Amino acid sequence: VAHYKAALKKCTPIMDKPINIVTYQDIQTIADNVSTMGKSSVMKLKGLINGTFDLARKHKYIPENFIDDVEFNYCVKEDSIHSDFTDAEIKRLWELSDDQEVKALLIMIYTGLRCTEFMRIKNENIHLKDRYFIGGMKTDAGKDRTIPIHEAIVPFFEYYISDNEYFFLN
């Protein structure tokens, strides 16, 4: 909600205009003014404007929705809050793999699971003999997918698996 409220503030130059008076150039100017923002912010703004114009078109206040013709550009951020583990870091984790938290971390690294996904693995979905499990969440493509278990982390699965409902008990 906060993101959409911020996007709405960017639309103040056209707020007092009837929607059938708003021009392509009005919207392009708004788009140009946010081009230094990140992709997520710009796409929320575009979605807000597009949805508004689409609704206006459906109610016949305007003949067409031209928002897809507007160029919405955004700044690609070079610094990311996420970074891959280096080979040296992974090697160090293997050296410390007797630690139960390190075992869990190595499972997440080798399977590509997010922490929340790891915490929600059910023991009934682990097929250790066939070296795969069913897990994942967040996106349609990521939900309940088959995830292979690398042979190097099989002992970690054996360490955690139990008669409990969930694989990892926190």
Side-chain angles (χ1 to χ4, degrees), residues 13-31:
I14 60 169
M15 291 294 239
D16 293 331
K17 286 186 172 185
I19 198 157
N20 62 334
I21 303 297
V22 176
T23 65
Y24 166 88
Q25 190 55 53
D26 291 330
I27 303 300
Q28 187 62 61
T29 300
I30 291 170

Side-chain angles (χ1 to χ4, degrees), residues 112-142:
L113 290 175
R114 296 173 179 89
C115 187
T116 307
E117 293 173 318
F118 174 72
M119 303 292 277
R120 293 188 179 167
I121 299 171
K122 291 188 175 184
N123 280 311
E124 67 185 31
N125 292 332
I126 299 172
H127 305 279
L128 205 50
K129 194 181 289 185
D130 296 318
R131 290 205 359 234
Y132 77 94
F133 65 98
I134 307 297
M137 52 190 279
K138 194 168 180 181
T139 65
D140 286 340

Side-chain angles (χ1 to χ4, degrees), residues 44-109:
K44 280 187 178 49
L45 174 64
K46 181 180 179 181
L48 176 75
I49 294 171
N50 191 43
T52 302
F53 275 72
D54 203 37
L55 187 63
R57 182 194 52 77
K58 286 177 185 174
H59 287 283
K60 310 245 185 275
Y61 296 125
I62 57 174
E64 68 172 327
N65 180 354
F66 58 81
I67 301 305
D68 284 336
D69 297 330
V70 176
E71 290 184 41
F72 283 85
N73 297 308
Y74 52 86
C75 181
V76 177
K77 296 179 182 177
E78 299 205 13
D79 59 329
S80 175
I81 61 169
H82 303 288
S83 60
D84 296 337
F85 283 94
T86 65
D87 290 341
E89 290 169 330
I90 293 173
K91 182 180 178 199
R92 180 68 179 138
L93 288 171
W94 276 106
E95 292 167 2
L96 301 170
S97 64
D98 287 339
D99 182 271
Q100 71 177 25
E101 285 85 11
V102 174
K103 285 177 174 56
L105 186 55
L106 284 166
I107 289 172
M108 287 185 273
I109 290 171

